[in-house]
Amino acid sequence: MDKSKRRWLMIGGAILLILLILAGLFLGQFISRKKVFDARPLVLIHSPRTFDDFKVGDGVLVHATAREDHGLTRMELWVNDRLVDALDAEEPWPTNMTLVSSWVPTYPGNQVIVVKAVSAPGIDGKSTIQITAQDAAPLTHLVEEGDTLESVAVEYGTTPEELSDLNPDLGGGAPSPGESLVIPDREGAPEEPLPGDESGDPPPAEGDPPSLDWSIPFFQAVSVTEDRQVTLRLEIPGLRTWEGFDGLHCYVSLADSLPQWYPDLDHNQATDEYFSSLDNGWWDTEAILVGDSAPLISWPADQPLPLSIACVGERGGIEAVEMGLIQKQVQPEEWNGIRHGYESDGEGGHLLVEVKITQLSGDPRNTPKYPDPAMPRPYNLRLNQDEGL
């Protein structure tokens, strides 16, 4: 074999080796990418909501859930790139975890809240929202007949000189009835509580802070897409019992959220309200769990929706009996707007609940969502049909 032929064989072999190495790298990255997306936890922040307003010094309750079929090991709450709280799994690799924590904003402006979850294979998932903290309104006193700077100062534990300094419009004179006086705030903003041990140290972080921009290697950038979200509406057009009750209420939970009391026409979960009875054991759910009054939720298009319904009958204002618990994983093919009947039995007898889940049209990622005060958290989002379509 002459030298020229050997040289071309060597070049061809080198090219083949390079192609094999590149194919191996691509395959490895593909497998790694698949592992990341298969084991990435789904994290939902139920409260607060994006663009909620709070005051500096007010406590902010954060409620979030995480879900991953491979199991979870930890959840973390980060605010403005700072670890605030953490929760480790109490049992080996639960598929669901709930984090409920509090945090106090200490300065005005936008605040970024991130809840991060870690799956058993060590893959991170996160959810991010932004809220706004505003300076608290100053404390004021409405001047009444007979009020003087001295009497007001004594009432609020301050001095007439300090009142004069805070109210320069007085010009050193006496306040007039109907005038508002700014009062010094003796309490000030409370110090932000830090979960952890008795020394107040925050829990130790595992890994780096969750980045707001997720950077991925070049090979993973090929054909990478986020989980598609859809907007679902839950309606309960039919509700029936076979026993007589003076009143009936239900607890409804979507996506493993905290159960909400229905009906809730006064938008206060602390008050007792009941469905109105109809003929033959049916209960009226119109304007409560039907149509525009029904709760909405944004949910991954390829994952079953967890649904839990528990109803309680009431007799004479003193006896409450449970009607059993309905728990379902509603599959995506059932989000078709068709009624499905679910039944349960409890100490109060037999219960029939007719459920209708409808996937709304449009892309929820491009449709603005605004808080709706007519609905309880975490479902109080309405689609603005005039914008973003």
Side-chain angles (χ1 to χ4, degrees), residues 44 46 62-67 72 75 87-88 94-101 115 255-258:
L44 298 174
H46 303 288
V62 179
H63 168 220
T65 57
R67 182 183 184 88
L72 298 163
M75 292 184 71
L87 175 67
D88 291 310
T95 57
N96 295 276
M97 289 183 67
T98 299
L99 174 69
V100 179
S101 187
V115 175
D256 300 321
S257 67
L258 294 177

Side-chain angles (χ1 to χ4, degrees), residues 355-369:
V355 174
K356 182 170 71 171
I357 296 179
T358 306
Q359 179 176 324
L360 302 184
S361 60
D363 188 345
R365 293 172 297 175
N366 298 328
T367 303
K369 303 178 181 66

Side-chain angles (χ1 to χ4, degrees), residues 83-87 101-102 192-204:
L83 181 64
V84 173
D85 201 358
L87 175 67
S101 187
S102 61
E192 182 176 341
L194 291 175
D197 55 28
E198 296 180 356
S199 65
D201 294 332

Side-chain angles (χ1 to χ4, degrees), residues 73-205:
T73 60
R74 182 178 173 92
M75 292 184 71
E76 295 178 350
L77 169 62
W78 293 77
V79 181
N80 301 327
D81 292 329
R82 176 170 168 265
L83 181 64
V84 173
D85 201 358
L87 175 67
D88 291 310
E90 296 182 357
E91 58 186 74
W93 299 356
T95 57
N96 295 276
M97 289 183 67
T98 299
L99 174 69
V100 179
S101 187
S102 61
W103 158 77
V104 178
T106 56
Y107 61 87
N110 294 332
Q111 321 281 328
V112 178
I113 298 176
V114 180
V115 175
K116 167 185 166 184
V118 183
S119 65
I123 307 302
D124 294 347
K126 70 177 185 298
S127 181
T128 305
I129 64 170
Q130 179 176 289
I131 65 170
T132 303
Q134 302 176 355
D135 284 321
L139 179 65
T140 60
H141 171 81
L142 183 63
V143 178
E144 300 177 354
E145 289 287 348
D147 280 349
T148 64
L149 279 180
E150 289 75 13
S151 65
V152 175
V154 171
E155 180 179 352
Y156 290 96
T158 182
T159 64
E161 292 76 19
E162 191 169 10
L163 286 177
S164 295
D165 293 339
L166 288 175
N167 300 272
D169 292 342
L170 290 176
S176 302
E179 189 174 5
S180 292
L181 294 180
V182 178
I183 305 299
D185 185 4
R186 293 302 183 191
E187 296 182 1
E191 293 185 0
E192 182 176 341
L194 291 175
D197 55 28
E198 296 180 356
S199 65
D201 294 332

Side-chain angles (χ1 to χ4, degrees), residues 49-70:
R49 299 161 294 175
T50 296
F51 305 130
D52 271 357
D53 288 326
F54 295 88
K55 288 183 172 60
V56 172
D58 282 352
V60 178
L61 180 66
V62 179
H63 168 220
T65 57
R67 182 183 184 88
E68 170 51 45
D69 292 339
H70 292 81

Side-chain angles (χ1 to χ4, degrees), residues 17-36:
L17 179 61
I18 292 173
L19 290 176
L20 290 175
I21 293 174
L22 289 175
L25 288 174
F26 185 86
L27 180 62
Q29 291 290 337
F30 178 81
I31 295 174
S32 175
R33 181 189 69 186
K34 187 175 185 302
K35 177 184 176 183
V36 167

